[in-house]
Structures are given as structure tokens and as C-alpha cells.
Amino acid sequence: MTIHDRTTRLAAVAAASIFLAAATTAYEPPRRADGRPDLGGVWTNSSLTRLSRPGSVDKLVLTPEKAQQMAAGHFHNVRAAKEFEKSDPNRGAPDKVKSLPPVGNYNASWVDPGSTYGVVNGEIRSSWLIEPADGKVPYQPIVREQGKARRTHRSGIAGPEVLSLGERCLIGFGGTAGPPMLNVLYNNHYEIVQTDDRIMILVEMVHDARVVRMDADHGAAADLRWLGDSVGRWDGDTLVVETTHFHPARSTNGPLYYSANAMVTERFTRVSDSQIHYEFIVDDPEFYTAEMRGEMSFNAVDKRVYEYACHEGNYAMGNMLRGARLLESEASSGR
């Protein structure tokens, strides 16, 4: 896609957002000394809504009744209700032959995915994706084929390099750092720090930090980064960020994978003291059969973002590698 095509596409997105601007004309965002809207603060996109639409749902917008029904039956809410039940002091000892939950799993106290579905522009959404219309990620066949090959390769655990980027604590799993910034099981907080020529987005998960260079050009094509090269500009009171030059290993970290020519465009519009309207477009014809467009809400929280020390005291990776080598040794010796 040419620069002209991308500019035309951005104009179309801006036109599609007119209703949002009309709905928020009465709101005057707080401003910095340079006159730009102040996006600074701590925000969260925690929600039961995810990038893709559940298979059992065929509509983007949920009725309050449907959303309540889905939330009540959602795995995380059901599990939390069960695990947070008060213990019965009169119950006997557990049956010794009854199986226990798998060792090492997170219980409900460790996760915070949200308990309700996300609201965008006053609508309860079943997915963040609004295009394609079915709310599904339109993977090219090559992406699915590469995914199968990666899973087979990882099963042997030949070395740390074959493990996922999340397992290696290089970037967060599930696309939490973005772009686009997607919500996951927990640690869905983001701190925005804004200056005249830089905007930094600190991601709670794995403590990723993405720096947006304002009114700048993209670096050299060889300057590849885990989170891509992000440059920003202001379109009225909306921050527009374009990101490209993703590290090739990023193509192994889902749910969105990027080729060398991928471009992700984000739009941040502060619509109230407590909310940022967030839009994104993923343009990567090599990996997807269609362009993707989505939107979500980031909600203000009066909290701090604490350090996420992913590998501190983490013995799992070393033990995984030792276990794989032990199995190889036993196989070669005929045991």
C-alpha cells in the first residue's frame, strides 16, 4: 500500500469517526502548555471483550441482557465465584482419590481479565474488531501453516530461542504491548507519559515501554524493534500513531503476526476525563486477506503501575530445558 493509499484510508477512518466527534463536542480535554490534549495518566482496557468475536455470537453490538448472560457464564466469572466461596468449616477431609487441579495454574486471585464486556461509543461490544464484519482475524493460509510449524518446533524445546517471546519475557503475551494494545488475563494497565516531542506508553505486562516520536520519520528499514518503530502526529485533538519496522521474530507472537511490510495505525481521542477512545487499523496483505479495523475504550484508573519482573526467581525455563535434555538422553540410551 502506498503512502497515498494510507493517507486516503486514514481520511476514511476520520470520516467514519465524525459521529464520535459530534457526540463529544461539549467535552474540552485537559491541555498541556503546548495546547495539545493531555493523555497522561494510568488507563486500563480490562474487559471480557477480546479482539475476535466468540463463535456463538453473530453481532458486534450486544444487548444488555445478552451481555449479562454471557458474562454470567464466562469461564473467569464462574471460576472466580467458585474459588471465592467461603470455606465450610464443618466439611470433612477431601476424598484422597479425587484428582487435584494441575500444579502451577493461576487461580482466580492471580488474574484480572475484567468481569463485564467492553462499552465503546455507548455500545456493548462482542469484539474489538469491527472490520471484517464477522469480527474474525482474516489470516492468510501461510500464517496458519507457520503456526503449525512453530508448535511442532517448540515441542522439542531445542533451546530457549524456540520458546515464545512471552515465555522468554521479551514482550508480553497476547499482544498486550501492541500495537494494537490488546487486553489479556491480567496486568491490563498502561501509563502514558507525554512531552512535546515524545509520548511514552508503559505497559504493565512485562514492563514494555513504547516510545512514540512526534512529527518524525520512520527509521531505516534495518532498524527493527520488538514493538515496531512508532511515529506520531496530531490530527486536531486526536493523536495518530503509525508503526512499522517490526522485528521478524514478532511474527511468532500472536494473536496478531506481522510481516516485514506491516503497518499499524492507531488513533487516541480523549472523550472524557475518564476515557480515551482508541481506534486501530492493521494493514498487512502478506499475512491477512483483508485490512482489520477495531476500536476499544481505555478507562482511567487511580492506580500506579508497579514493576513486572518477569524472570525474577523464575526457574521454569531452565527446568524445561533440563527436562527436554533428560528425555533426549533417556531416549538415546533406550530407557
Side-chain angles (χ1 to χ4, degrees), residues 7 37 51 69-70 89 123 136 179-180 204 247 255 292 295:
T7 302
L51 175 67
Q69 176 190 16
M70 290 174 59
E123 299 174 339
K136 306 295 185 184
E204 183 178 18
H247 192 287
M292 284 175 283
E295 56 184 2

Side-chain angles (χ1 to χ4, degrees), residues 38-56:
D38 190 351
L39 302 178
V42 179
W43 310 83
T44 181
N45 59 358
S46 180
S47 171
L48 295 179
T49 304
R50 292 293 188 265
L51 175 67
S52 299
R53 195 165 306 155
S56 59

Side-chain angles (χ1 to χ4, degrees), residues 67-85:
Q68 184 176 16
Q69 176 190 16
M70 290 174 59
H74 195 283
F75 168 75
H76 291 296
N77 285 341
V78 172
R79 184 177 71 162
K82 183 175 180 58
E83 292 185 9
F84 291 147
E85 286 180 350

Side-chain angles (χ1 to χ4, degrees), residues 163-246:
L163 298 175
S164 71
L165 301 182
E167 286 176 305
R168 295 162 64 188
C169 293
L170 293 173
I171 61 176
F173 67 88
T176 179
M181 300 179 292
L182 304 176
N183 50 315
V184 289
L185 282 176
Y186 59 109
N187 291 349
N188 292 309
H189 292 94
Y190 301 81
E191 183 173 6
I192 298 178
V193 178
Q194 185 176 341
T195 70
D196 292 347
D197 60 356
R198 297 285 191 278
I199 294 178
M200 186 275 291
I201 304 174
L202 177 65
V203 187
E204 183 178 18
M205 182 68 80
V206 190
H207 225 62
D208 290 319
R210 181 156 62 107
V211 177
V212 178
R213 297 177 293 112
M214 298 300 295
D215 299 315
D217 295 324
H218 287 291
D223 184 17
L224 303 175
R225 307 177 186 183
W226 291 119
L227 306 182
D229 179 42
S230 295
V231 298
R233 61 181 174 82
W234 289 98
D235 178 11
D237 284 346
T238 295
L239 171 66
V240 181
V241 179
E242 289 189 344
T243 305
T244 186
H245 297 358
F246 293 97

Side-chain angles (χ1 to χ4, degrees), residues 8-141:
T8 302
R9 178 202 62 191
L10 288 175
V13 173
S17 302
I18 288 177
F19 75 94
L20 173 66
T24 58
T25 51
Y27 176 71
E28 175 63 26
R31 297 185 183 274
R32 292 172 34 81
D34 61 4
R36 300 298 187 183
D38 190 351
L39 302 178
V42 179
W43 310 83
T44 181
N45 59 358
S46 180
S47 171
L48 295 179
T49 304
R50 292 293 188 265
L51 175 67
S52 299
R53 195 165 306 155
S56 59
V57 179
D58 60 1
K59 294 181 179 179
L60 172 64
V61 180
L62 301 172
T63 65
E65 295 76 19
K66 179 64 174 179
Q68 184 176 16
Q69 176 190 16
M70 290 174 59
H74 195 283
F75 168 75
H76 291 296
N77 285 341
V78 172
R79 184 177 71 162
K82 183 175 180 58
E83 292 185 9
F84 291 147
E85 286 180 350
K86 291 184 178 180
S87 298
D88 180 1
N90 299 316
R91 71 181 181 185
D95 188 340
K96 65 179 180 180
V97 299
K98 184 179 180 180
S99 62
L100 297 174
V103 175
N105 279 357
Y106 291 148
N107 61 26
S109 296
W110 286 94
V111 299
D112 184 21
S115 58
T116 60
Y117 283 84
V119 177
V120 181
N121 297 332
E123 299 174 339
I124 307 174
R125 297 292 178 85
S126 63
S127 66
W128 300 136
L129 281 181
I130 58 178
E131 294 177 8
D134 64 359
K136 306 295 185 184
V137 178
Y139 297 114
Q140 290 277 16

